[in-house]
Amino acid sequence: MHDLVIVGCGPVGAVAANLAGEAGLSAVAVERAVEVFDLPRAIHFDAHIMRILQQAGVAAEVVADTRVWRRSTFYGADGQPIRVHDWSDEPTYGWDAHYLFYQPALEKILRTRLARHAGIELRLGTEVVDITQNEDHATVTTRDVATGRTEELSARYVVAADGASSFVRANSRIPLVDGDFDEPWLVIDLLCERQLGRPNESEMFCDPRRPATRVPGPGTHNRWEFMLLPGETAEQVQRPESIESLLRPWVRMDEVQILRASVYRFHALVAQRWRDGRLFLVGDAAHQTPPFLGQGMCHGIRDVQNLLWKIAAVLRGAPTDRLLDSYQAERRPHVARIIDMAVAAGRDICILDPATAAQRDARMRRAAATGDLPRTTFQGMPPLQGGLFDGAGELFPQPMVRTATGHECLLDDAIGSDLAVVAIPGALEHRPDLTVPVVRAGGEAGLVTVSGEIDKWLDERDATIAILRPDRYVHALTRDDQQAARSVRELCAVVGRG
Ligand SMILES: Cc1cc2nc3c(=O)[nH]c(=O)nc-3n(C[C@H](O)[C@H](O)[C@H](O)COP(=O)(O)OP(=O)(O)OC[C@H]3O[C@@H](n4cnc5c(N)ncnc54)[C@H](O)[C@@H]3O)c2cc1C
């Protein structure tokens, strides 16, 4: 009996498998394709995702093959800026705020790194064709794509990371709720030795004659996306002469190698339920977003981090339902809210009527002047709400820390992935009975010594004590050591810790 079967080993399934390995679980990741999907889709992830990749033990390899993204300028119908996203003030959790990357390279690293975990098996060229659930396990039927041979796997839980047309979602008869957004865009990826535009900046052209965007990838990779106009077909815009004409303002065809030019429909869809007994939907199987905020894969990676520590706790004996139900309770509203932001951004970008575009440009410029621009994820992620939280829900910062032995490292590397309490000196002196590690911020006496960043963060929230979950979200914030002890006890009961 395995702890988990992970269906699909795209980026989300592969991060789930790495997190499962780090948590010491046994898992089989079943993937229909033999090779990593060779074309880039996602091109951006943010600092929180890098922090999760750090927890998954792959950040050092991943960061080596990225480009830091520093700014994004939006241009109006007149070709002049209407909004500049500059994220120098955004929380970075120990990393750069935003990264540009090449999805096939990320997926290869994630798969290769699985080999270090004896408990994780990757079965390529194998698809899941049936799942039945029993009282204490699920039976997953797989089929070898080459030979047709079938096999049954037993697992305590199933993580469905099988993408937008998820077999698992359909098998569990879980409908998708449609967010009423459906726009076709041509996505062109190419390699070019010449530096195009500023190296760490992207551009969004909100031109009603044809909305478009340009994003530099790592190395020589560059991406353009062009909206299809009414009456245009995918077949027409994918022709070489059409591609050449669209790219003419930036590059000559003799200096580029086109990797792909295909039309995608940008949707907004969220599965109605994310749990069916022992089975959990994650990633594109659970939601699809228009990519205007570059968050589709990021949502999926947040999903599996949220889910995996809870499954690990249940497998160690925690009571099941409250913990496992909190996955959907915490993640679904968060994803739905950010998809709404992406749809709102998309509706602004996809305006084709010149008069409406002029109104949008005037509105954006007014808002920029008064500091009243609509918030997007480029100003930081909203906190999680509901679920297990005791009144908090923000992600805790991740400064560099010095351990008791004088070693300097990022906070999560110093304190691992268990529950933790962070307190300023003196705040918890009367509670030596806490059963989780205590990090003393700013003092010399505790487990680690951390910079003033944490004191300031706590002070801004009128707190001296923060209770952290394994995913480094803040469960509770308080100044009261009795309340902290009570909140720790309650959290320990939910996650099955004595
Ligand atoms: C043009 C474009 C731009 C994007 N830009 C961004 C961006 O900048 N940032 C971002 O975060 N996201 C972005 N996205 C979204 C991102 O690419 C997806 O959200 C991400 O790939 C989803 O990952 P996944 O692992 O959930 O699904 P997938 O990548 O689809 O992987 C699912 C895997 O499951 C396998 N599978 C399916 N069925 C079975 C079965 N029955 N048995 C076994 N295996 C199965 C498939 O072979 C596949 O490998 C973009 C998407 C597009 C199209």
Side-chain angles (χ1 to χ4, degrees), residues 6-14 30-33 35 37 40-45 49 69 100-101 103 107 111 123 126-129 160-168 187 189 223 225 260 264-266 282-300:
I6 300 168
V7 187
C9 198
V12 174
V30 181
E31 168 55 51
R32 177 187 284 146
E35 301 293 340
F37 186 62
R41 288 171 291 161
I43 190 166
H44 154 260
F45 62 73
I49 300 308
W69 190 17
L100 299 163
F101 76 108
Q103 186 170 336
E107 292 191 38
R111 284 194 189 178
R123 289 199 193 173
T126 310
E127 62 181 349
V128 168
V129 291
D162 53 342
S165 34
S166 170
F167 160 78
V168 182
V187 179
D189 287 282
R223 168 169 298 174
E225 296 174 10
R260 171 267 303 278
Y264 283 83
R265 297 201 80 88
F266 293 169
V282 296
D284 275 18
H287 43 73
Q288 290 141 56
T289 178
F292 299 108
L293 303 178
Q295 282 294 331
M297 181 195 76
C298 298
H299 288 315

Side-chain angles (χ1 to χ4, degrees), residues 2 27-30 114 117-123:
H2 303 282
V28 185
V30 181
L114 287 178
H117 295 298
I120 309 296
E121 185 191 341
L122 175 58
R123 289 199 193 173

Side-chain angles (χ1 to χ4, degrees), residues 6 63 82 90 140 164 182 198 200 239 257 264 292 295 297 330 354 411 440 461 484:
I6 300 168
V63 78
I82 53 172
E90 200 179 310
V140 177
D182 182 20
R198 295 203 186 92
N200 304 94
R239 283 186 198 137
Q257 179 194 338
Y264 283 83
F292 299 108
Q295 282 294 331
M297 181 195 76
E330 291 172 3
L411 175 72
R440 306 221 184 260
R461 288 152 184 81

Side-chain angles (χ1 to χ4, degrees), residues 218-363:
T220 56
H221 175 219
N222 285 271
R223 168 169 298 174
W224 280 263
E225 296 174 10
F226 297 96
M227 186 173 163
L228 267 63
L229 301 178
E232 278 180 338
T233 65
E235 195 267 322
Q236 279 168 349
V237 295
Q238 287 168 192
R239 283 186 198 137
E241 60 275 20
S242 163
I243 294 166
E244 180 170 5
S245 137
L246 289 167
L247 291 177
R248 193 166 297 136
W250 293 278
V251 284
R252 298 186 318 273
M253 298 314 278
D254 63 1
E255 61 176 347
V256 302
Q257 179 194 338
I258 301 277
L259 296 173
R260 171 267 303 278
S262 345
V263 170
Y264 283 83
R265 297 201 80 88
F266 293 169
H267 296 295
L269 299 166
V270 181
Q272 201 174 62
R273 289 178 293 121
W274 292 21
R275 178 180 180 191
D276 177 17
R278 303 189 155 270
L279 186 157
F280 297 87
L281 302 185
V282 296
D284 275 18
H287 43 73
Q288 290 141 56
T289 178
F292 299 108
L293 303 178
Q295 282 294 331
M297 181 195 76
C298 298
H299 288 315
I301 291 176
R302 290 186 174 94
D303 294 343
V304 291
Q305 189 210 26
N306 186 292
L307 179 63
L308 261 286
W309 72 264
K310 293 172 181 173
I311 290 182
V314 167
L315 290 168
R316 282 194 307 266
T320 53
D321 279 337
R322 182 157 174 227
L323 198 51
L324 296 182
D325 283 341
S326 73
Y327 164 61
Q328 173 177 331
E330 291 172 3
R331 290 295 306 147
R332 192 179 186 282
H334 194 255
V335 168
R337 184 170 167 198
I338 294 164
I339 290 180
D340 285 348
M341 286 184 191
V343 167
R347 291 206 198 289
D348 257 358
I349 291 164
C350 296
I351 291 171
L352 297 179
D353 173 51
T356 316
Q359 285 166 7
R360 173 206 56 209
D361 295 353
R363 172 167 50 83

